[in-house]
Structures are given as structure tokens and as C-alpha cells.
Amino acid sequence: MNKETVTFPFDGKDIYQVGMSRRGLMLILSSPSGAGKTTIAKRLLGTDKHITSSISVTTRAPRPGEQEGVDYYFRSVPDFEDMISKGALLEYAHVFGNYYGTPCAEIEAKLNQGKDVLFDIDWQGTQQLSQKARQDVVSIFVLPPSMEELEKRLRLRGQDSEAVITQRMTKNYDEMCHWEEYDYIVVNHNLEDAVARVEAILLAERHRRARLFGVGDFVQQMKKS
Ligand code: 5GP
């Protein structure tokens, strides 16, 4: 694929310069562990100023170096349960003995300002977000080129013991069975190519008619002149 023909930064010039605006979108990236979604997410966040990462709320204690409002919002269990009962979370889950969730208000504010929000979450979180906000969600499932390659990449990361790699590979297969619930599929043969494909999807979704405001006025104005 010729990268130059499919990627250029979204600067909004085409719509903002003629008085239109747009609602932001929620871009979900999911993949089996080791297929590259976190690396792709980091690349997008580093190169595209129109997208920011979603910051979750959690009840787990901060790890050394983690900052409130940057890595997570750290809350007590009663405070988190209060957020659940008030409907203040778009989705939440109980993972490894702690609560994790996505706060509604902050996401809604960003979408209203025309900013996109990136989510690095699994299929369960994706299901919940899609049910709550289908029209705002764009979901991409990143697949490895093969199970052998996935296992090789997990070994190359050097983070896990053999036993943990075996466990991750079983979980990975289960995770991959949810591919049908996603809007787009990207096979990560190599990082540059996968990033270019994700950028192309994002660029197209930013021009979706349903997300644009002011098109009618713009067209009316042309009729008058
Ligand atoms: P960690 O404690 O290592 O930061 O995260 C543990 C797990 O919680 C990870 O698998 C991560 O994907 C998941 N997680 C983090 N934030 C959220 C969230 O907002 N919602 C859900 N459903 N899972 C989350």
C-alpha cells in the first residue's frame, strides 16, 4: 500500500472553513494480547491532535508514577458504586478484584467539542459502549496474521513466563471469536501498514454525514448567492 495516498492529517479545513462543525467519535481498538493495538493507539495519540485517550475511573490503588487524572481517576469503592447508581458511567467492569469504568460526562463534553476519544478496551467494554452510544462508536478489531506470529510476538515482548503465555494464547483465541461484533477488521502484518489503515478508517468516519453540523445552512447559503 502506498502510505502517502491514504494518510494525511485531519485538519478539518474542508468543513471548519465553511462554517460546519462535527461531533466527535469514540474510536475503539480491541485485539488479542500482543496483536499491536496498544502500539497503534500510541502512534495515533502521538500524531493526531484531534484524538485523546479516554481516562477511566478505577478503585485500584495508584502504581508508582501513576497520576490522578492522567492515568486514571482513582476513587474509593463507595464513590465508584455511587457513580454506578447515578448512571455516571458509560460502561464498567470488575477486573482482578477492582472496579474500572468510563465516566460519561467527560466523554460527552469531548464529543460535543468535536474531539475524538480513543478506547483501548476488550469486547465486553465494546459491547456495553456500543449499546449505550451506537451512533458515536467506531470499533476496530486488530487481528494478528497468524496464531504462530502472535505467540512469537508475545515471546519477543519478554514480559511473561511460558505458563502465562499459554494462558494468554487461550484467552486470545476466545477474544478473537468476537470479531463479528466490530465495525472494521485490520490485520496487523506490519505496524506502519496497520497504522495507515486505522488512520484511513478514522479519516472516513470523521466525514460521516450524521456527525456533521451546519451542512444544511452551508448549502442554503450557496443557493442564495
Ligand atoms: P490495570 O489495572 O493493569 O491498569 O488494568 C487492568 C485491566 O482493566 C486491563 O485489562 C484494562 O483493559 C481494564 N480496564 C481499564 N480501564 C477500563 C475501563 O474503563 N473499563 C473496562 N471495562 N476495563 C478497563
Side-chain angles (χ1 to χ4, degrees), residues 35-212:
K37 80 178 159 178
T38 308
T39 317
I40 296 171
K42 278 190 190 147
R43 279 284 296 269
L44 278 187
L45 292 168
T47 55
D48 188 327
K49 64 179 169 35
H50 296 273
I51 193 159
T52 52
S53 190
S54 160
I55 301 167
S56 302
V57 187
T58 183
T59 58
R60 83 153 162 73
R63 293 185 187 129
E66 283 186 334
Q67 285 177 273
E68 165 73 15
V70 176
D71 300 285
Y72 282 106
Y73 296 108
F74 298 97
R75 295 290 177 268
S76 65
V77 173
D79 282 355
F80 195 100
E81 287 173 345
D82 194 43
M83 291 182 85
I84 299 175
S85 64
K86 287 184 173 144
L89 298 171
L90 268 177
E91 62 81 41
Y92 68 94
H94 206 245
V95 187
F96 309 131
N98 292 300
Y99 280 122
Y100 293 84
T102 305
C104 291
E106 192 175 305
I107 305 293
E108 188 53 37
K110 283 185 178 166
L111 299 185
N112 280 332
Q113 292 160 16
K115 291 183 185 150
D116 303 317
V117 187
L118 182 65
F119 292 82
D120 176 342
I121 53 172
D122 68 3
W123 64 271
Q124 280 163 313
T126 306
Q127 269 187 355
Q128 289 186 58
L129 284 187
S130 300
Q131 277 160 15
K132 284 257 179 80
R134 187 66 198 99
Q135 68 288 0
D136 290 323
V137 166
V138 176
S139 58
I140 305 177
F141 198 81
V142 181
L143 282 172
S146 69
M147 287 309 260
E148 291 73 28
E149 180 61 25
L150 188 61
E151 199 165 335
K152 198 174 109 194
R153 288 181 195 174
L154 279 179
R155 287 220 165 79
L156 273 175
R157 283 203 316 204
Q159 290 175 352
D160 304 313
S161 65
E162 276 305 306
V164 172
I165 287 177
T166 308
Q167 271 174 18
R168 279 196 193 275
M169 288 303 291
T170 309
K171 188 166 171 282
N172 274 345
Y173 187 73
D174 295 343
E175 180 88 21
M176 279 198 288
C177 294
H178 291 274
W179 64 271
E180 276 182 293
E181 294 152 31
Y182 286 75
D183 299 321
Y184 296 93
I185 303 294
V186 168
V187 179
N188 184 6
H189 290 280
N190 78 70
L191 184 65
E192 294 308 319
D193 180 272
V195 169
R197 285 169 201 274
V198 170
E199 284 175 339
I201 293 165
L202 184 56
L203 184 61
E205 289 285 347
R206 282 169 167 167
H207 293 79
R208 200 175 266 282
R209 176 172 47 79
R211 287 190 231 289
L212 300 180

